[in-house]
């Protein structure tokens, strides 16, 4: 009995320590959701089942990481959803018919994102207003490129997301690679300290002799690259383009960053937690569908699940003593 009690105590302490980590609660919540999904639909715990279940995860993960890079600077991006829709339209509307123009626009889009970061920094403008204005620009350009939903996506792009690597389905590969890359950039590279620093204390970074303008341009450029990848994954998955398809992604991306341990201020974000948050946002809807919850109740219950996770995060996470 003593050994069993000791084991239970160690497991309890382990869960408690995990919950105290910034992304620990998101990991626990994601594991529980996956367990319930596999319990309700055992066939989802297979290679093909995971491919279907996580089909759209790369889109949500790249979009959430784009939002995370902007929030690292202490800003909020209200245009990332329409930006993803723009990339989707360029991929479906131009890459086959006018490849040179299409590629040029795809290259220009992340550059435009970097310039938005420079504008916000140099003019000290609120990011919410600037990115909201940019969202109308992205939508207008998307409707110009592809006025009606449709188009054709290059076969090479669709074949890329349909690859069947051994052991691990492609959606998981496209989820893990950007997560690891973002973690290395922000938490392992020496310049990551500068990138995180401008969201915490702009003055401290300037006193250290580092360019805060360059850091914000870099963060917005990284956000643009992630938005570009999200749009290409969306086009490759749906094989069509739609200017309005990404509108709902903006709020989902903010929710993913916060659920994953991020903060609105202070440059406090977690790339790993953000990916967990994006997967929670995706799989909670699937779980309710598998549980045969009426569609009219799904949005309310999904929102309640997210509120419970956030409430538990406040209880479980305590900042370390100085």
């Amino acid at each position: 009995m003593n050994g069993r009690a000791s084991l239970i105590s160690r497991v309890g302490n382990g869960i408690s320590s995990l919950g105290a980590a910034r992304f620990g609660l998101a990991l626990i919540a994601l594991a529980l959701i996956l367990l319930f999904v596999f319990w309700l639909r055992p066939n989802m715990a297979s290679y093909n089942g995971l491919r279907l279940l996580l089909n759209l995860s790369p889109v949500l993960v790249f979009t959430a990481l784009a939002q995370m890079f902007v929030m690292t600077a202490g800003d909020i991006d209200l245009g990332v959803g329409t930006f993803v829709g723009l990339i989707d339209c360029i991929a479906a509307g131009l890459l086959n018919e006018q490849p040179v123009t299409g590629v040029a626009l795809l290259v220009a889009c992340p550059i435009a994102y970097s310039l938005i970061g420079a504008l916000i920094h140099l003019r000290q403008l609120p990011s919410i207003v600037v990115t909201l204005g940019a969202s109308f620009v992205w939508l207008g350009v998307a409707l110009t490129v592809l006025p009606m939903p449709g188009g054709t996506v290059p076969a090479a792009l669709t074949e890329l997301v349909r690859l069947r690597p051994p052991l691990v389905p492609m959606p998981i590969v496209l989820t893990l690679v950007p997560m690891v890359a973002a973690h290395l950039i922000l938490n392992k590279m020496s310049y990551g300290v500068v990138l995180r620093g401008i969201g915490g204390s702009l003055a401290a970074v300037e006193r250290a002799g580092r360019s805060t303008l360059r850091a914000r341009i870099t963060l917005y450029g990284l956000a643009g690259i992630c938005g570009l990848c999200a749009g290409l994954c969306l086009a490759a998955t749906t094989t069509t383009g739609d200017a309005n398809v990404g509108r709902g992604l903006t709020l989902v991306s903010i929710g993913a960053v916060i659920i994953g341990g991020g903060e609105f201020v202070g440059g406090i974000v977690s790339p790993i937690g953000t990916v967990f948050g994006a997967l929670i946002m995706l799989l909670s809807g699937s779980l309710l569908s598998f549980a045969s919850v009426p569609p009219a109740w799904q949005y309310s219950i999904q929102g309640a699940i997210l509120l419970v996770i956030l409430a538990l995060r406040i209880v479980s996470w305590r900042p370390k003593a100085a």
Side-chain angles (χ1 to χ4, degrees):
M1 288 296 291
N2 289 336
R4 184 178 180 182
S6 176
L7 176 62
I8 293 174
S9 176
R10 285 200 297 271
V11 171
N13 291 335
I15 294 175
S16 178
S17 300
L18 192 58
R22 183 157 289 280
F23 62 83
L25 190 59
L27 174 59
I28 294 172
L30 178 60
L32 289 175
I33 290 174
L34 279 172
L35 283 175
F36 278 113
V37 167
F38 294 155
W39 178 56
L40 292 171
R41 292 287 190 275
N43 57 335
M44 286 296 162
S46 63
Y47 186 97
N48 288 329
L50 287 172
R51 282 189 69 217
L52 291 173
L53 186 66
L54 301 173
N55 195 29
L56 286 174
S57 63
V59 179
L60 288 179
V61 166
F62 276 115
T63 307
L65 289 176
Q67 186 70 251
M68 183 205 69
F69 279 120
V70 173
M71 291 177 69
T72 304
D75 298 338
I76 294 178
D77 186 356
L78 295 185
V80 66
T82 50
F83 182 78
V84 172
L86 168 61
I87 301 298
D88 182 43
C89 287
I90 293 173
L94 292 177
L95 282 184
N96 265 338
E97 303 297 331
Q98 304 173 54
V100 175
T101 304
V103 171
L105 280 176
L106 290 178
V107 172
C109 284
I111 297 174
Y113 239 77
S114 297
L115 295 177
I116 288 175
L119 175 65
I120 290 172
H121 189 88
L122 292 174
R123 304 301 298 176
Q124 296 294 301
L125 297 173
S127 60
I128 290 179
V129 176
V130 176
T131 55
L132 179 62
S135 71
F136 294 109
V137 175
W138 309 138
L139 180 61
V141 177
L143 288 171
T144 302
V145 172
L146 197 65
M148 299 292 291
T152 54
V153 178
L157 201 56
T158 57
E159 291 300 323
L160 177 64
V161 298
R162 292 175 182 172
L163 285 176
R164 298 177 67 90
L167 302 178
V168 181
M170 196 61 182
I172 296 181
V173 174
L174 292 175
T175 296
L176 293 179
V177 170
M179 180 183 75
V180 172
H183 177 73
L184 293 176
I185 290 171
L186 287 183
N187 297 324
K188 297 301 179 183
M189 292 176 61
S190 58
Y191 194 60
V193 177
V194 179
L195 296 179
R196 286 183 280 116
I198 68 167
S201 176
L202 207 64
V205 176
E206 289 174 344
R207 283 198 300 272
R210 306 305 293 263
S211 170
T212 53
L213 171 62
R214 183 181 300 172
R216 196 178 295 269
I217 289 175
T218 301
L219 285 172
Y220 274 77
L222 290 169
I225 292 171
C226 286
L228 172 69
C229 294
L232 292 176
C233 287
L234 180 61
T237 304
T238 61
T239 67
T240 186
D242 184 352
N244 295 300
V245 71
R247 283 187 171 185
L249 291 174
T250 298
L251 294 180
V252 171
S253 67
I254 295 173
V257 177
I258 298 301
I259 289 173
E263 305 281 351
F264 284 112
V265 294
I268 301 171
V269 296
S270 168
I272 297 174
T274 298
V275 171
F276 291 160
L279 294 177
I280 289 171
M281 301 291 283
L282 173 69
L283 295 177
S284 57
S286 301
L287 173 61
L288 294 175
S289 297
F290 294 150
S292 301
V293 175
W297 283 93
Q298 287 191 14
Y299 290 111
S300 298
I301 297 176
Q302 194 174 7
I305 292 173
L306 300 181
L307 288 176
V308 169
I309 294 173
L310 290 176
L312 290 174
R313 176 184 150 188
I314 294 173
V315 174
S316 63
W317 185 76
R318 295 285 186 276
K320 294 179 180 178

